[in-house]
């Protein structure tokens, strides 16, 4: 008996530090496989998009994520690191998806490091959510969480009298990830024959510091926010230089906006508005830079029967100085409308004790003619294992926002084991 007690004590002394470490620094994560097969071959590819015409799989990856989240009374650390194997390109990479330190004070919250910031109330329509996004992940069918990219930033949120004020400072510019020359995705590129390309990111400096400000509170049951942003467009624009060569760059941008969301009409009603001030082209006479614009969104969501939810949105984007755009655009540029109208519809049905989720998202522009349809089914097999199968269909004029990705329409699947 004494010998057994001695062995137990020895085992506890060996395992104790490990157990204490595991309790203090819990590690979670998942292992995931995600292929996506191209359903429609592109109608011919320019020299810069040869791969889009050669590859049937636009995605084929395995991904392992480790999450470390120790926390104390007034602090918390959150780190999410991913090891990614690209089976199509036969490449391995490591990515820090998020890594930040939270500090909590009586009236102030600080978050320092790489973090995902989400503003606004739109469903796949972004007005005041100006933070970087990964459109390649979205088009390729990765889980929707990968549409948002991390910002290397400091976020400070102060609270008083029921109101809050959030200040975001991002010293390092992070661009959207968009389809580009040499990638597997096909897209509209009027300069597709030019293979010499350079990209100019805004250099790190005090002048180029990205700054966002959000004031928010609840007013008579409505979540109301005011926004201001000073930074850059996160999707590049381009201009042809002698050579010829193509230069991609990110013009400066200010955004001012507001949103409100609350219960009404038996469901949830959302409003959002924003003004995009294109600082380097306020006259609209530079065809290489996007004009200033006014953007408005109205949304409504309701559970019509238990576990069946329907939602819809109307969005309009009105270009400022449209006459200057028509006078200065080159013949190769598309004839955009003065206003872009968009309608969306989302249906979500939960079945089998909410372990099976059937979803349909439809987006279309009635005046520009482009559209996107995403039917998807996901099933929670066990607490740890989940699987999903979906389709991304794109259509419309080849120069339009979604029509340019018609050749990237795909069927995709994701299997994940979480631990």
């Amino acid at each position: 008996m004494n010998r057994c007690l001695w062995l137990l004590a020895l085992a506890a002394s060996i395992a104790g530090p490990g157990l204490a470490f595991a309790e203090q620094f819990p590690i979670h994560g998942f292992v995931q496989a995600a292929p996506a097969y191209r359903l429609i071959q592109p109608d011919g590819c320019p020299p810069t998009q040869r791969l889009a015409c050669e590859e049937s799989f636009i995605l084929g990856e395995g991904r392992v994520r480790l999450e470390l989240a120790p926390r104390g009374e007034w602090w918390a650390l959150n780190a999410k690191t991913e090891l990614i194997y690209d089976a199509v390109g036969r490449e391995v990479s490591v990515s820090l998806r998020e890594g930040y330190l939270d500090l909590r004070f009586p009236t102030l919250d600080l978050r320092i490091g790489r973090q995902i910031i989400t503003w606004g109330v739109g469903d796949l329509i972004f007005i005041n959510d100006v933070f970087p996004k990964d459109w390649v992940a979205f088009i390729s069918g990765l889980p929707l969480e990968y549409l948002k990219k991390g910002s290397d930033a400091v976020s400070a949120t102060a609270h008083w009298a029921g109101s809050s004020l959030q200040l975001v400072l991002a010293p390092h510019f992070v661009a959207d990830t968009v389809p580009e020359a040499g990638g597997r995705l096909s897209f509209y590129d009027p300069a597709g024959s030019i293979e010499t390309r350079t990209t100019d990111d805004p250099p790190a400096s005090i002048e180029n510091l990205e700054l966002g400000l959000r004031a928010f509170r609840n007013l008579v049951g409505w979540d109301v926010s005011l926004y201001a942003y000073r930074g850059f467009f996160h999707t590049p624009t381009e201009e042809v230089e002698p050579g010829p060569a193509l230069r991609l760059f990110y013009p400066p941008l200010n955004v001012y906006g507001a949103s409100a969301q609350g219960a009404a009409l038996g469901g949830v009603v959302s409003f959002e508005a924003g003004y995009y001030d294109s600082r380097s082209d306020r006259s609209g006479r530079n065809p290489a830079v996007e004009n200033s614009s006014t953007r408005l969104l109205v949304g409504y969501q309701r559970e019509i029967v238990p576990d069946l939810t329907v939602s819809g949105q109307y969005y309009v984007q009105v270009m400022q100085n449209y006459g200057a755009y028509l006078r200065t655009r080159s013949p190769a540029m598309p004839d955009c409308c003065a206003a872009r109208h968009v309608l969306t519809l989302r249906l979500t049905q939960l079945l089998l004790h909410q372990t099976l989720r059937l979803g349909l998202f439809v987006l279309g522009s009635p005046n520009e003619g482009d559209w996107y349809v995403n039917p998807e089914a996901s099933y929670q097999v066990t607490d740890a294992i989940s699987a999903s199968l979906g389709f991304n269909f794109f259509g419309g004029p080849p120069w339009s926002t979604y029509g340019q990705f018609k050749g990237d329409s795909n069927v995709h699947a994701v299997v994940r084991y979480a631990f």
Side-chain angles (χ1 to χ4, degrees):
M1 182 66 180
N2 289 336
R3 187 174 182 180
C4 291
L5 289 174
W6 184 85
L7 289 174
L8 286 174
L10 178 62
S13 65
I14 295 173
L19 292 173
F21 180 86
E23 291 175 355
Q24 191 173 1
F25 301 99
I27 297 177
H28 300 284
F30 59 76
V31 179
Q32 174 179 287
Y37 184 77
R38 194 189 305 273
L39 294 174
I40 301 174
Q41 287 300 315
D43 297 329
C45 295
T48 52
Q49 297 181 31
R50 298 185 192 93
L51 209 55
C53 280
E54 296 173 358
E55 295 285 1
S56 297
F57 282 89
I58 60 176
L59 177 71
E61 67 164 42
R63 188 179 294 250
V64 179
R65 175 188 288 185
L66 294 179
E67 300 179 8
L68 182 65
R71 58 192 63 243
E73 186 176 345
W74 54 273
W75 64 274
L77 181 66
N78 195 317
K80 299 178 182 177
T81 302
E82 296 185 341
L83 175 67
I84 306 161
Y85 174 61
D86 179 357
V88 180
R90 298 183 179 180
E91 296 176 344
V92 178
S93 61
V94 177
S95 170
L96 177 64
R97 178 151 178 80
E98 289 185 273
Y100 57 80
L101 173 66
D102 278 339
L103 299 175
R104 292 185 294 275
F105 302 99
T107 59
L108 179 68
D109 297 331
L110 283 178
R111 176 165 292 182
I112 305 166
R114 181 165 297 180
Q115 53 194 286
I116 292 175
I117 305 170
T118 299
W119 285 1
V121 296
D123 180 7
L124 289 181
I125 292 179
F126 305 102
I127 298 178
N128 294 293
D129 189 343
V130 292
F131 301 102
K133 299 168 186 67
D134 187 341
W135 292 106
V136 171
F138 170 75
I139 295 167
S140 302
L142 275 173
L144 200 54
E145 65 180 287
Y146 288 98
L147 173 58
K148 296 301 300 286
K149 293 176 65 176
S151 298
D152 298 328
V154 175
S155 172
T157 305
H159 311 278
W160 77 98
S163 299
S164 299
L165 181 66
Q166 180 184 15
L167 172 66
V168 176
L169 296 173
H172 171 61
F173 175 78
V174 178
D176 285 359
T177 301
V178 296
E180 59 183 7
R184 294 177 208 136
L185 299 183
S186 67
F187 59 98
Y188 176 71
D189 185 0
S193 60
I194 302 177
E195 299 195 53
T196 302
R197 300 180 176 217
T198 59
T199 301
D200 291 340
D201 290 337
S205 67
I206 295 295
E207 183 182 350
N208 290 335
L209 188 71
E210 285 187 274
L211 188 153
L213 198 62
R214 178 172 71 121
F216 57 100
R217 70 166 297 154
N218 187 278
L219 285 176
V220 293
W222 287 70
D223 293 324
V224 179
S225 297
L226 299 174
Y227 309 91
Y229 167 79
R230 185 184 187 280
F232 300 87
F233 285 96
H234 283 257
T235 54
T237 188
E238 59 189 36
E239 62 182 7
V240 178
E241 296 184 327
L246 197 67
R247 185 176 79 92
L248 290 85
F249 61 101
Y250 302 89
L253 171 70
N254 290 343
V255 179
Y256 312 98
S259 70
Q261 187 173 62
L265 305 175
V268 177
V269 177
S270 304
F271 300 99
E272 186 168 357
Y275 178 72
Y276 277 48
D277 173 19
S278 183
R279 299 204 310 268
S280 64
D281 186 32
R282 286 179 170 136
S283 66
R285 292 196 291 264
N286 184 349
V289 176
E290 184 175 328
N291 284 16
S292 299
S293 61
T294 301
R295 307 177 185 206
L296 302 171
L297 170 77
V298 179
Y300 179 71
Q301 175 181 314
R302 181 173 185 174
E303 185 178 51
I304 52 178
V305 297
D307 292 334
L308 176 59
T309 302
V310 60
S311 63
Q313 299 175 117
Y314 166 70
Y315 167 77
V316 62
Q317 177 178 329
V318 181
M319 182 190 300
Q320 307 295 302
N321 300 306
Y322 184 64
Y325 163 79
L326 291 178
R327 288 192 299 273
T328 58
R329 72 183 180 91
S330 71
M333 294 177 65
D335 186 8
C336 294
C337 300
R340 172 175 168 79
H341 301 273
V342 173
L343 295 169
T344 75
L345 171 69
R346 183 182 291 278
L347 295 171
T348 303
Q349 173 74 71
L350 300 177
L351 300 167
L352 302 178
H353 304 288
Q354 300 188 343
T355 57
L356 176 62
R357 177 182 178 277
L358 304 178
L360 174 66
F361 182 80
V362 180
L363 178 152
S365 173
N367 67 320
E368 294 196 342
D370 60 321
W371 51 268
Y372 165 63
V373 177
N374 170 226
E376 192 170 60
S378 60
Y379 181 55
Q380 192 70 37
V381 183
T382 67
D383 289 343
I385 300 174
S386 61
S388 66
L389 177 69
F391 297 84
N392 281 336
F393 295 110
F394 305 94
W399 49 264
S400 58
T401 303
Y402 287 94
Q404 64 179 312
F405 303 124
K406 178 181 178 182
D408 301 315
S409 297
N410 63 80
V411 53
H412 52 267
V414 176
V415 178
R416 176 181 292 188
Y417 171 76
F419 56 88

